[in-house]
PDB file of all heavy atoms in Angstrom:
ATOM      1  N   PHE X  21      84.894 124.771  83.195  1.00 89.00           N
ATOM      2  CA  PHE X  21      85.464 125.748  82.258  1.00 89.00           C
ATOM      3  C   PHE X  21      84.472 126.121  81.169  1.00 89.00           C
ATOM      4  O   PHE X  21      84.363 127.273  80.764  1.00 89.00           O
ATOM      5  CB  PHE X  21      86.743 125.178  81.634  1.00 89.00           C
ATOM      6  CG  PHE X  21      87.364 126.112  80.614  1.00 89.00           C
ATOM      7  CD1 PHE X  21      88.114 127.225  81.043  1.00 89.00           C
ATOM      8  CD2 PHE X  21      87.243 125.896  79.261  1.00 89.00           C
ATOM      9  CE1 PHE X  21      88.663 128.083  80.122  1.00 89.00           C
ATOM     10  CE2 PHE X  21      87.796 126.770  78.330  1.00 89.00           C
ATOM     11  CZ  PHE X  21      88.528 127.851  78.773  1.00 89.00           C
ATOM     12  N   ALA X  22      83.695 125.137  80.730  1.00 91.00           N
ATOM     13  CA  ALA X  22      82.721 125.372  79.660  1.00 91.00           C
ATOM     14  C   ALA X  22      81.478 126.085  80.157  1.00 91.00           C
ATOM     15  O   ALA X  22      80.918 126.958  79.481  1.00 91.00           O
ATOM     16  CB  ALA X  22      82.332 124.056  78.983  1.00 91.00           C
ATOM     17  N   ALA X  23      81.016 125.723  81.373  1.00 88.00           N
ATOM     18  CA  ALA X  23      79.758 126.242  81.862  1.00 88.00           C
ATOM     19  C   ALA X  23      79.907 127.472  82.752  1.00 88.00           C
ATOM     20  O   ALA X  23      79.117 128.416  82.676  1.00 88.00           O
ATOM     21  CB  ALA X  23      79.008 125.155  82.630  1.00 88.00           C
ATOM     22  N   ARG X  24      80.906 127.472  83.648  1.00 86.00           N
ATOM     23  CA  ARG X  24      81.114 128.598  84.567  1.00 86.00           C
ATOM     24  C   ARG X  24      82.608 128.901  84.692  1.00 86.00           C
ATOM     25  O   ARG X  24      83.217 128.620  85.714  1.00 86.00           O
ATOM     26  CB  ARG X  24      80.542 128.254  85.947  1.00 86.00           C
ATOM     27  CG  ARG X  24      79.049 128.031  86.025  1.00 86.00           C
ATOM     28  CD  ARG X  24      78.274 129.321  85.884  1.00 86.00           C
ATOM     29  NE  ARG X  24      76.875 129.119  86.241  1.00 86.00           N
ATOM     30  CZ  ARG X  24      75.965 128.602  85.413  1.00 86.00           C
ATOM     31  NH1 ARG X  24      76.322 128.267  84.180  1.00 86.00           N
ATOM     32  NH2 ARG X  24      74.716 128.446  85.806  1.00 86.00           N
ATOM     33  N   PRO X  25      83.216 129.461  83.661  1.00 87.00           N
ATOM     34  CA  PRO X  25      84.660 129.705  83.733  1.00 87.00           C
ATOM     35  C   PRO X  25      85.093 130.627  84.870  1.00 87.00           C
ATOM     36  O   PRO X  25      86.216 130.539  85.368  1.00 87.00           O
ATOM     37  CB  PRO X  25      84.972 130.330  82.374  1.00 87.00           C
ATOM     38  CG  PRO X  25      83.652 130.821  81.866  1.00 87.00           C
ATOM     39  CD  PRO X  25      82.623 129.893  82.407  1.00 87.00           C
ATOM     40  N   GLN X  26      84.161 131.501  85.305  1.00 83.00           N
ATOM     41  CA  GLN X  26      84.500 132.416  86.399  1.00 83.00           C
ATOM     42  C   GLN X  26      84.742 131.675  87.714  1.00 83.00           C
ATOM     43  O   GLN X  26      85.367 132.194  88.634  1.00 83.00           O
ATOM     44  CB  GLN X  26      83.392 133.478  86.563  1.00 83.00           C
ATOM     45  CG  GLN X  26      82.057 132.928  87.017  1.00 83.00           C
ATOM     46  CD  GLN X  26      81.186 132.475  85.859  1.00 83.00           C
ATOM     47  OE1 GLN X  26      81.678 132.249  84.776  1.00 83.00           O
ATOM     48  NE2 GLN X  26      79.886 132.400  86.108  1.00 83.00           N
ATOM     49  N   MET X  27      84.216 130.445  87.824  1.00 80.00           N
ATOM     50  CA  MET X  27      84.367 129.678  89.068  1.00 80.00           C
ATOM     51  C   MET X  27      85.757 129.043  89.169  1.00 80.00           C
ATOM     52  O   MET X  27      86.075 128.473  90.228  1.00 80.00           O
ATOM     53  CB  MET X  27      83.297 128.598  89.146  1.00 80.00           C
ATOM     54  CG  MET X  27      81.895 129.148  89.245  1.00 80.00           C
ATOM     55  SD  MET X  27      80.632 127.875  89.503  1.00 80.00           S
ATOM     56  CE  MET X  27      81.002 127.399  91.206  1.00 80.00           C
ATOM     57  N   LEU X  28      86.557 129.111  88.126  1.00 81.00           N
ATOM     58  CA  LEU X  28      87.904 128.541  88.172  1.00 81.00           C
ATOM     59  C   LEU X  28      88.921 129.527  88.758  1.00 81.00           C
ATOM     60  O   LEU X  28      90.106 129.276  88.726  1.00 81.00           O
ATOM     61  CB  LEU X  28      88.334 128.111  86.756  1.00 81.00           C
ATOM     62  CG  LEU X  28      87.537 126.951  86.174  1.00 81.00           C
ATOM     63  CD1 LEU X  28      88.012 126.620  84.759  1.00 81.00           C
ATOM     64  CD2 LEU X  28      87.655 125.723  87.049  1.00 81.00           C
ATOM     65  N   ASN X  29      88.407 130.603  89.301  1.00 81.00           N
ATOM     66  CA  ASN X  29      89.253 131.549  90.012  1.00 81.00           C
ATOM     67  C   ASN X  29      89.878 130.846  91.235  1.00 81.00           C
ATOM     68  O   ASN X  29      89.217 130.077  91.923  1.00 81.00           O
ATOM     69  CB  ASN X  29      88.418 132.759  90.458  1.00 81.00           C
ATOM     70  CG  ASN X  29      89.213 133.777  91.233  1.00 81.00           C
ATOM     71  OD1 ASN X  29      89.438 133.609  92.448  1.00 81.00           O
ATOM     72  ND2 ASN X  29      89.640 134.821  90.556  1.00 81.00           N
ATOM     73  N   ALA X  30      91.154 131.129  91.494  1.00 78.00           N
ATOM     74  CA  ALA X  30      91.868 130.471  92.572  1.00 78.00           C
ATOM     75  C   ALA X  30      91.214 130.679  93.931  1.00 78.00           C
ATOM     76  O   ALA X  30      91.144 129.764  94.761  1.00 78.00           O
ATOM     77  CB  ALA X  30      93.332 130.955  92.617  1.00 78.00           C
ATOM     78  N   ASN X  31      90.705 131.894  94.178  1.00 80.00           N
ATOM     79  CA  ASN X  31      90.057 132.170  95.463  1.00 80.00           C
ATOM     80  C   ASN X  31      88.771 131.379  95.630  1.00 80.00           C
ATOM     81  O   ASN X  31      88.483 130.847  96.694  1.00 80.00           O
ATOM     82  CB  ASN X  31      89.758 133.662  95.584  1.00 80.00           C
ATOM     83  CG  ASN X  31      91.012 134.490  95.737  1.00 80.00           C
ATOM     84  OD1 ASN X  31      91.990 134.038  96.343  1.00 80.00           O
ATOM     85  ND2 ASN X  31      91.000 135.704  95.222  1.00 80.00           N
ATOM     86  N   VAL X  32      88.000 131.273  94.526  1.00 79.00           N
ATOM     87  CA  VAL X  32      86.735 130.510  94.579  1.00 79.00           C
ATOM     88  C   VAL X  32      87.028 129.046  94.773  1.00 79.00           C
ATOM     89  O   VAL X  32      86.403 128.383  95.604  1.00 79.00           O
ATOM     90  CB  VAL X  32      85.928 130.732  93.275  1.00 79.00           C
ATOM     91  CG1 VAL X  32      84.676 129.866  93.284  1.00 79.00           C
ATOM     92  CG2 VAL X  32      85.546 132.208  93.133  1.00 79.00           C
ATOM     93  N   LEU X  33      87.978 128.514  94.032  1.00 83.00           N
ATOM     94  CA  LEU X  33      88.333 127.095  94.161  1.00 83.00           C
ATOM     95  C   LEU X  33      88.868 126.801  95.549  1.00 83.00           C
ATOM     96  O   LEU X  33      88.597 125.712  96.094  1.00 83.00           O
ATOM     97  CB  LEU X  33      89.356 126.734  93.094  1.00 83.00           C
ATOM     98  CG  LEU X  33      88.902 126.704  91.639  1.00 83.00           C
ATOM     99  CD1 LEU X  33      90.056 126.279  90.719  1.00 83.00           C
ATOM    100  CD2 LEU X  33      87.713 125.787  91.439  1.00 83.00           C
ATOM    101  N   GLY X  34      89.610 127.737  96.114  1.00 84.00           N
ATOM    102  CA  GLY X  34      90.149 127.531  97.473  1.00 84.00           C
ATOM    103  C   GLY X  34      89.044 127.342  98.489  1.00 84.00           C
ATOM    104  O   GLY X  34      89.172 126.529  99.417  1.00 84.00           O
ATOM    105  N   VAL X  35      87.947 128.091  98.332  1.00 83.00           N
ATOM    106  CA  VAL X  35      86.810 127.959  99.249  1.00 83.00           C
ATOM    107  C   VAL X  35      86.198 126.574  99.134  1.00 83.00           C
ATOM    108  O   VAL X  35      85.896 125.933 100.146  1.00 83.00           O
ATOM    109  CB  VAL X  35      85.762 129.056  98.965  1.00 83.00           C
ATOM    110  CG1 VAL X  35      84.498 128.800  99.786  1.00 83.00           C
ATOM    111  CG2 VAL X  35      86.328 130.428  99.266  1.00 83.00           C
ATOM    112  N   PHE X  36      85.998 126.099  97.892  1.00 85.00           N
ATOM    113  CA  PHE X  36      85.403 124.791  97.698  1.00 85.00           C
ATOM    114  C   PHE X  36      86.309 123.658  98.236  1.00 85.00           C
ATOM    115  O   PHE X  36      85.845 122.748  98.897  1.00 85.00           O
ATOM    116  CB  PHE X  36      85.114 124.532  96.213  1.00 85.00           C
ATOM    117  CG  PHE X  36      83.981 125.355  95.664  1.00 85.00           C
ATOM    118  CD1 PHE X  36      84.141 126.096  94.492  1.00 85.00           C
ATOM    119  CD2 PHE X  36      82.768 125.426  96.320  1.00 85.00           C
ATOM    120  CE1 PHE X  36      83.108 126.854  94.000  1.00 85.00           C
ATOM    121  CE2 PHE X  36      81.731 126.204  95.808  1.00 85.00           C
ATOM    122  CZ  PHE X  36      81.897 126.921  94.658  1.00 85.00           C
ATOM    123  N   VAL X  37      87.590 123.782  97.918  1.00 91.00           N
ATOM    124  CA  VAL X  37      88.521 122.715  98.344  1.00 91.00           C
ATOM    125  C   VAL X  37      88.647 122.686  99.862  1.00 91.00           C
ATOM    126  O   VAL X  37      88.774 121.626 100.470  1.00 91.00           O
ATOM    127  CB  VAL X  37      89.886 122.941  97.665  1.00 91.00           C
ATOM    128  CG1 VAL X  37      90.924 121.942  98.229  1.00 91.00           C
ATOM    129  CG2 VAL X  37      89.768 122.772  96.162  1.00 91.00           C
ATOM    130  N   ARG X  38      88.598 123.867 100.484  1.00 91.00           N
ATOM    131  CA  ARG X  38      88.726 123.936 101.950  1.00 91.00           C
ATOM    132  C   ARG X  38      87.639 123.129 102.628  1.00 91.00           C
ATOM    133  O   ARG X  38      87.892 122.529 103.686  1.00 91.00           O
ATOM    134  CB  ARG X  38      88.660 125.405 102.392  1.00 91.00           C
ATOM    135  CG  ARG X  38      88.870 125.607 103.879  1.00 91.00           C
ATOM    136  CD  ARG X  38      88.763 127.062 104.240  1.00 91.00           C
ATOM    137  NE  ARG X  38      87.471 127.620 103.939  1.00 91.00           N
ATOM    138  CZ  ARG X  38      87.099 128.878 104.223  1.00 91.00           C
ATOM    139  NH1 ARG X  38      87.999 129.689 104.780  1.00 91.00           N
ATOM    140  NH2 ARG X  38      85.927 129.314 103.916  1.00 91.00           N
ATOM    141  N   GLN X  39      86.477 123.050 102.016  1.00 89.00           N
ATOM    142  CA  GLN X  39      85.358 122.337 102.644  1.00 89.00           C
ATOM    143  C   GLN X  39      85.557 120.830 102.678  1.00 89.00           C
ATOM    144  O   GLN X  39      84.943 120.122 103.482  1.00 89.00           O
ATOM    145  CB  GLN X  39      84.029 122.655 101.903  1.00 89.00           C
ATOM    146  CG  GLN X  39      83.648 124.113 101.914  1.00 89.00           C
ATOM    147  CD  GLN X  39      83.573 124.694 103.325  1.00 89.00           C
ATOM    148  OE1 GLN X  39      83.009 124.109 104.238  1.00 89.00           O
ATOM    149  NE2 GLN X  39      84.171 125.865 103.493  1.00 89.00           N
ATOM    150  N   VAL X  40      86.422 120.279 101.795  1.00 93.00           N
ATOM    151  CA  VAL X  40      86.611 118.819 101.755  1.00 93.00           C
ATOM    152  C   VAL X  40      87.900 118.397 102.486  1.00 93.00           C
ATOM    153  O   VAL X  40      88.269 117.239 102.420  1.00 93.00           O
ATOM    154  CB  VAL X  40      86.637 118.297 100.301  1.00 93.00           C
ATOM    155  CG1 VAL X  40      85.306 118.558  99.606  1.00 93.00           C
ATOM    156  CG2 VAL X  40      87.787 118.879  99.505  1.00 93.00           C
ATOM    157  N   VAL X  41      88.561 119.334 103.149  1.00 95.00           N
ATOM    158  CA  VAL X  41      89.808 118.982 103.861  1.00 95.00           C
ATOM    159  C   VAL X  41      89.567 117.901 104.938  1.00 95.00           C
ATOM    160  O   VAL X  41      90.361 116.986 105.028  1.00 95.00           O
ATOM    161  CB  VAL X  41      90.439 120.241 104.473  1.00 95.00           C
ATOM    162  CG1 VAL X  41      91.564 119.880 105.430  1.00 95.00           C
ATOM    163  CG2 VAL X  41      90.987 121.153 103.371  1.00 95.00           C
ATOM    164  N   PRO X  42      88.469 117.975 105.723  1.00 95.00           N
ATOM    165  CA  PRO X  42      88.249 116.886 106.688  1.00 95.00           C
ATOM    166  C   PRO X  42      88.139 115.528 106.004  1.00 95.00           C
ATOM    167  O   PRO X  42      88.686 114.528 106.488  1.00 95.00           O
ATOM    168  CB  PRO X  42      86.943 117.277 107.370  1.00 95.00           C
ATOM    169  CG  PRO X  42      86.864 118.751 107.238  1.00 95.00           C
ATOM    170  CD  PRO X  42      87.485 119.064 105.917  1.00 95.00           C
ATOM    171  N   LEU X  43      87.449 115.469 104.888  1.00 95.00           N
ATOM    172  CA  LEU X  43      87.333 114.227 104.108  1.00 95.00           C
ATOM    173  C   LEU X  43      88.740 113.818 103.628  1.00 95.00           C
ATOM    174  O   LEU X  43      89.070 112.622 103.694  1.00 95.00           O
ATOM    175  CB  LEU X  43      86.394 114.426 102.929  1.00 95.00           C
ATOM    176  CG  LEU X  43      86.317 113.266 101.937  1.00 95.00           C
ATOM    177  CD1 LEU X  43      85.850 111.963 102.602  1.00 95.00           C
ATOM    178  CD2 LEU X  43      85.397 113.628 100.757  1.00 95.00           C
ATOM    179  N   GLY X  44      89.519 114.753 103.130  1.00 97.00           N
ATOM    180  CA  GLY X  44      90.854 114.430 102.624  1.00 97.00           C
ATOM    181  C   GLY X  44      91.740 113.836 103.694  1.00 97.00           C
ATOM    182  O   GLY X  44      92.512 112.896 103.439  1.00 97.00           O
ATOM    183  N   ILE X  45      91.652 114.364 104.925  1.00 97.00           N
ATOM    184  CA  ILE X  45      92.457 113.845 106.008  1.00 97.00           C
ATOM    185  C   ILE X  45      91.997 112.451 106.428  1.00 97.00           C
ATOM    186  O   ILE X  45      92.792 111.544 106.689  1.00 97.00           O
ATOM    187  CB  ILE X  45      92.450 114.814 107.199  1.00 97.00           C
ATOM    188  CG1 ILE X  45      93.097 116.160 106.798  1.00 97.00           C
ATOM    189  CG2 ILE X  45      93.186 114.238 108.407  1.00 97.00           C
ATOM    190  CD1 ILE X  45      92.983 117.249 107.846  1.00 97.00           C
ATOM    191  N   LEU X  46      90.665 112.295 106.463  1.00 97.00           N
ATOM    192  CA  LEU X  46      90.113 110.975 106.808  1.00 97.00           C
ATOM    193  C   LEU X  46      90.536 109.921 105.764  1.00 97.00           C
ATOM    194  O   LEU X  46      90.784 108.761 106.102  1.00 97.00           O
ATOM    195  CB  LEU X  46      88.587 111.054 106.869  1.00 97.00           C
ATOM    196  CG  LEU X  46      87.863 109.889 107.563  1.00 97.00           C
ATOM    197  CD1 LEU X  46      88.284 109.770 109.030  1.00 97.00           C
ATOM    198  CD2 LEU X  46      86.351 110.055 107.454  1.00 97.00           C
ATOM    199  N   VAL X  47      90.641 110.332 104.513  1.00 97.00           N
ATOM    200  CA  VAL X  47      91.082 109.411 103.436  1.00 97.00           C
ATOM    201  C   VAL X  47      92.485 108.909 103.672  1.00 97.00           C
ATOM    202  O   VAL X  47      92.807 107.772 103.342  1.00 97.00           O
ATOM    203  CB  VAL X  47      90.962 110.120 102.062  1.00 97.00           C
ATOM    204  CG1 VAL X  47      91.794 109.422 101.016  1.00 97.00           C
ATOM    205  CG2 VAL X  47      89.502 110.149 101.619  1.00 97.00           C
ATOM    206  N   LEU X  48      93.342 109.727 104.279  1.00 97.00           N
ATOM    207  CA  LEU X  48      94.711 109.314 104.551  1.00 97.00           C
ATOM    208  C   LEU X  48      94.756 108.073 105.478  1.00 97.00           C
ATOM    209  O   LEU X  48      95.570 107.192 105.325  1.00 97.00           O
ATOM    210  CB  LEU X  48      95.517 110.454 105.155  1.00 97.00           C
ATOM    211  CG  LEU X  48      95.766 111.663 104.267  1.00 97.00           C
ATOM    212  CD1 LEU X  48      96.495 112.755 105.018  1.00 97.00           C
ATOM    213  CD2 LEU X  48      96.561 111.263 103.018  1.00 97.00           C
ATOM    214  N   GLY X  49      93.842 108.059 106.447  1.00 97.00           N
ATOM    215  CA  GLY X  49      93.742 106.904 107.318  1.00 97.00           C
ATOM    216  C   GLY X  49      93.077 105.722 106.609  1.00 97.00           C
ATOM    217  O   GLY X  49      93.493 104.580 106.777  1.00 97.00           O
ATOM    218  N   GLN X  50      92.058 106.043 105.809  1.00 96.00           N
ATOM    219  CA  GLN X  50      91.362 104.988 105.110  1.00 96.00           C
ATOM    220  C   GLN X  50      92.248 104.245 104.090  1.00 96.00           C
ATOM    221  O   GLN X  50      92.227 103.014 104.008  1.00 96.00           O
ATOM    222  CB  GLN X  50      90.158 105.566 104.359  1.00 96.00           C
ATOM    223  CG  GLN X  50      89.150 104.557 103.875  1.00 96.00           C
ATOM    224  CD  GLN X  50      88.435 103.870 105.014  1.00 96.00           C
ATOM    225  OE1 GLN X  50      88.752 102.724 105.352  1.00 96.00           O
ATOM    226  NE2 GLN X  50      87.485 104.543 105.640  1.00 96.00           N
ATOM    227  N   LEU X  51      93.051 104.989 103.362  1.00 95.00           N
ATOM    228  CA  LEU X  51      93.939 104.348 102.369  1.00 95.00           C
ATOM    229  C   LEU X  51      94.982 103.471 103.062  1.00 95.00           C
ATOM    230  O   LEU X  51      95.403 102.440 102.510  1.00 95.00           O
ATOM    231  CB  LEU X  51      94.573 105.373 101.455  1.00 95.00           C
ATOM    232  CG  LEU X  51      95.641 106.340 101.998  1.00 95.00           C
ATOM    233  CD1 LEU X  51      97.040 105.746 101.936  1.00 95.00           C
ATOM    234  CD2 LEU X  51      95.614 107.641 101.193  1.00 95.00           C
ATOM    235  N   LEU X  52      95.353 103.888 104.286  1.00 95.00           N
ATOM    236  CA  LEU X  52      96.350 103.114 105.020  1.00 95.00           C
ATOM    237  C   LEU X  52      95.797 101.743 105.415  1.00 95.00           C
ATOM    238  O   LEU X  52      96.443 100.707 105.217  1.00 95.00           O
ATOM    239  CB  LEU X  52      96.816 103.907 106.221  1.00 95.00           C
ATOM    240  CG  LEU X  52      98.006 103.344 107.021  1.00 95.00           C
ATOM    241  CD1 LEU X  52      99.208 103.158 106.121  1.00 95.00           C
ATOM    242  CD2 LEU X  52      98.338 104.273 108.173  1.00 95.00           C
ATOM    243  N   VAL X  53      94.592 101.719 105.992  1.00 96.00           N
ATOM    244  CA  VAL X  53      94.021 100.432 106.414  1.00 96.00           C
ATOM    245  C   VAL X  53      93.611  99.581 105.215  1.00 96.00           C
ATOM    246  O   VAL X  53      93.705  98.365 105.253  1.00 96.00           O
ATOM    247  CB  VAL X  53      92.845 100.639 107.388  1.00 96.00           C
ATOM    248  CG1 VAL X  53      93.321 101.258 108.688  1.00 96.00           C
ATOM    249  CG2 VAL X  53      91.734 101.482 106.783  1.00 96.00           C
ATOM    250  N   MET X  54      93.184 100.235 104.164  1.00 94.00           N
ATOM    251  CA  MET X  54      92.803  99.456 102.954  1.00 94.00           C
ATOM    252  C   MET X  54      94.031  98.843 102.308  1.00 94.00           C
ATOM    253  O   MET X  54      93.943  97.783 101.685  1.00 94.00           O
ATOM    254  CB  MET X  54      92.026 100.348 101.977  1.00 94.00           C
ATOM    255  CG  MET X  54      90.598 100.629 102.432  1.00 94.00           C
ATOM    256  SD  MET X  54      89.644 101.691 101.328  1.00 94.00           S
ATOM    257  CE  MET X  54      89.493 100.621  99.887  1.00 94.00           C
ATOM    258  N   ARG X  55      95.175  99.493 102.454  1.00 94.00           N
ATOM    259  CA  ARG X  55      96.421  98.928 101.912  1.00 94.00           C
ATOM    260  C   ARG X  55      96.792  97.617 102.635  1.00 94.00           C
ATOM    261  O   ARG X  55      97.501  96.790 102.071  1.00 94.00           O
ATOM    262  CB  ARG X  55      97.557  99.924 102.030  1.00 94.00           C
ATOM    263  CG  ARG X  55      97.529 101.073 101.032  1.00 94.00           C
ATOM    264  CD  ARG X  55      97.876 100.642  99.646  1.00 94.00           C
ATOM    265  NE  ARG X  55      99.201 100.045  99.565  1.00 94.00           N
ATOM    266  CZ  ARG X  55     100.319 100.729  99.392  1.00 94.00           C
ATOM    267  NH1 ARG X  55     100.277 102.037  99.281  1.00 94.00           N
ATOM    268  NH2 ARG X  55     101.464 100.091  99.339  1.00 94.00           N
ATOM    269  N   VAL X  56      96.343  97.455 103.904  1.00 94.00           N
ATOM    270  CA  VAL X  56      96.613  96.210 104.617  1.00 94.00           C
ATOM    271  C   VAL X  56      95.376  95.328 104.634  1.00 94.00           C
ATOM    272  O   VAL X  56      95.171  94.527 105.540  1.00 94.00           O
ATOM    273  CB  VAL X  56      97.110  96.493 106.062  1.00 94.00           C
ATOM    274  CG1 VAL X  56      98.474  97.163 106.027  1.00 94.00           C
ATOM    275  CG2 VAL X  56      96.106  97.288 106.864  1.00 94.00           C
ATOM    276  N   LYS X  57      94.509  95.519 103.657  1.00 92.00           N
ATOM    277  CA  LYS X  57      93.312  94.694 103.437  1.00 92.00           C
ATOM    278  C   LYS X  57      92.332  94.756 104.600  1.00 92.00           C
ATOM    279  O   LYS X  57      91.771  93.768 105.020  1.00 92.00           O
ATOM    280  CB  LYS X  57      93.719  93.245 103.159  1.00 92.00           C
ATOM    281  CG  LYS X  57      94.574  93.083 101.929  1.00 92.00           C
ATOM    282  CD  LYS X  57      94.845  91.624 101.573  1.00 92.00           C
ATOM    283  CE  LYS X  57      95.661  91.529 100.282  1.00 92.00           C
ATOM    284  NZ  LYS X  57      95.874  90.137  99.865  1.00 92.00           N
ATOM    285  N   SER X  58      92.156  95.988 105.125  1.00 94.00           N
ATOM    286  CA  SER X  58      91.161  96.229 106.163  1.00 94.00           C
ATOM    287  C   SER X  58      90.329  97.436 105.794  1.00 94.00           C
ATOM    288  O   SER X  58      90.376  97.883 104.646  1.00 94.00           O
ATOM    289  CB  SER X  58      91.878  96.426 107.518  1.00 94.00           C
ATOM    290  OG  SER X  58      90.960  96.422 108.575  1.00 94.00           O
ATOM    291  N   ILE X  59      89.542  97.909 106.721  1.00 94.00           N
ATOM    292  CA  ILE X  59      88.703  99.075 106.461  1.00 94.00           C
ATOM    293  C   ILE X  59      88.330  99.724 107.809  1.00 94.00           C
ATOM    294  O   ILE X  59      88.371  99.040 108.845  1.00 94.00           O
ATOM    295  CB  ILE X  59      87.420  98.678 105.677  1.00 94.00           C
ATOM    296  CG1 ILE X  59      86.775  99.908 105.014  1.00 94.00           C
ATOM    297  CG2 ILE X  59      86.437  97.953 106.597  1.00 94.00           C
ATOM    298  CD1 ILE X  59      85.708  99.540 103.995  1.00 94.00           C
TER     299      ILE X  59
END
């Protein structure tokens, strides 16, 4: 917000967030096994 407020546009943020969706889905499995003390 302080350095590049124009990047907080919903369309721009959507592009950035879309790139980490594979990581986000992988995290769902990781948190599950870590909850049972595994990895």
Side-chain angles (χ1 to χ4, degrees):
F21 178 77
R24 297 287 192 279
Q26 66 273 19
M27 296 186 70
L28 293 178
N29 179 279
N31 290 327
V32 175
L33 291 181
V35 172
F36 290 130
V37 173
R38 184 180 61 177
Q39 300 305 315
V40 298
V41 170
L43 172 60
I45 296 173
L46 195 63
V47 161
L48 294 176
Q50 194 67 257
L51 70 87
L52 188 56
V53 294
M54 287 179 67
R55 285 288 301 274
V56 295
K57 300 187 177 183
S58 190
I59 198 168

